[in-house]
Amino acid sequence: NIVALCPNHHSMMDLGVIAIYPNNLRVIFAFNNYNSLEPNAVLQLKGKHGLKSQYLAFHLKNIYLGETILHEVELNNEQF
């Protein structure tokens, strides 16, 4: 159940910010306004490597945060 990702995307996957649809390998983001990949990016498999859809489905159901909205809070130096 290993997917080779850069350190940033690996962390995002672990935190549930991104997920991969098991049926078409399309990458989805919990926060639509933060997208470091192209829209509708599809995971590319190399050579004979494959992914078990059951692991991607588990991640999508149990770890992925879902389509939510990121709220930013402005901070000023007076608060510290």
Side-chain angles (χ1 to χ4, degrees):
N1 64 349
I2 296 174
V3 177
L5 301 168
C6 75
N8 292 336
H9 288 119
H10 182 95
S11 295
M12 292 170 72
M13 189 94 169
D14 285 347
L15 294 171
V17 176
I18 61 174
I20 301 165
Y21 282 121
N23 59 341
N24 60 10
L25 301 181
R26 189 170 64 83
V27 180
I28 54 174
F29 290 81
F31 305 121
N32 291 327
N33 58 345
Y34 177 81
N35 185 347
S36 59
L37 296 174
E38 293 182 25
N40 298 314
V42 176
L43 190 67
Q44 300 294 315
L45 301 179
K46 299 291 182 180
K48 295 181 182 180
H49 297 284
L51 293 172
K52 295 223 181 235
S53 62
Q54 66 191 40
Y55 299 129
L56 295 176
F58 176 87
H59 180 273
L60 185 62
K61 180 180 178 186
N62 298 293
I63 298 172
Y64 179 58
L65 297 174
E67 304 283 333
T68 61
I69 299 172
L70 178 64
H71 297 283
E72 294 184 12
V73 176
E74 289 188 34
L75 300 176
N76 60 44
N77 290 334
E78 296 173 10
Q79 294 174 329
F80 299 102

